[in-house]
């Protein structure tokens, strides 16, 4: 009986180890997805609020370039989250009119050149459905990846 236990114990150890590693990976994958969904929904909520403010002002006849309260609003929203790199308001042609980062004003909003940022954009339309501009929120991808790496380390250590 004892010899049978000695023979089967390594097999069970391999199975239990594999199951533990699989459970750790599934845990990491689920929590990573939830974290990224949380970030995306937070960005979506911020963009929705700013976009609604711009659309409301546009419906009152205030053009996008004339909305002088936007820089303060963008700076306030950007300072609320440490992951925020910038919040940009673009014209329908793609040029940045307002930004929480003053250095970005006047630049073209180029997603391909912005590899270090996790981006979310929302188009703004007027009452007739015509595009007025867009709100683009840029979060720091490096900080997000560092948080995910810390999570991965904690899960591996726990497993």
């Amino acid at each position: 009986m004892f010899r049978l236990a000695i023979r089967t114990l390594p097999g069970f150890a391999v199975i239990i180890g594999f199951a533990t590693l699989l459970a750790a990976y599934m845990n990491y994958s689920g929590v990573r997805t939830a974290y990224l969904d949380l970030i995306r929904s937070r960005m979506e909520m911020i963009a929705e609020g700013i976009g609604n403010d711009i659309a409301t002002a546009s419906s009152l006849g205030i053009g996008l370039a004339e909305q002088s309260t936007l820089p303060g609003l963008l700076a306030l929203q950007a300072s609320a989250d440490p992951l925020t790199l910038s919040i940009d308001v673009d014209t329908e042609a793609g040029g940045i009119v307002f930004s929480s980062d003053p250095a970005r004003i006047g630049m073209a909003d180029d997603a391909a050149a912005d590899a270090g940022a996790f981006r979310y954009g929302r188009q703004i339309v007027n009452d007739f459905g015509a595009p007025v501009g867009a709100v683009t929120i840029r979060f720091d991808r490096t900080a997000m990846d560092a948080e995910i790496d810390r999570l991965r380390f904690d899960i591996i250590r726990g497993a």
Side-chain angles (χ1 to χ4, degrees), residues 43-61:
M43 294 171 85
E44 185 177 338
M45 187 176 69
I46 294 168
E48 184 79 22
I50 294 170
N52 288 341
D53 290 346
I54 294 171
T56 300
S58 178
S59 70
L60 295 172

Side-chain angles (χ1 to χ4, degrees), residues 83-143:
L83 289 177
T84 305
L85 291 174
S86 71
I87 301 174
D88 304 330
V89 176
D90 313 333
T91 63
E92 63 274 1
I96 298 174
V97 181
F98 298 106
S99 178
S100 62
D101 179 7
R104 292 184 53 82
I105 296 174
M107 296 174 58
D109 189 20
D110 187 14
D114 202 6
F118 187 74
R119 299 169 53 100
Y120 178 80
R122 177 187 185 272
Q123 188 164 11
I124 305 163
V125 294
N126 63 12
D127 293 338
F128 302 110
V132 173
V135 176
T136 304
I137 300 175
R138 300 170 55 245
F139 272 19
D140 187 6
R141 183 179 296 276
T142 306

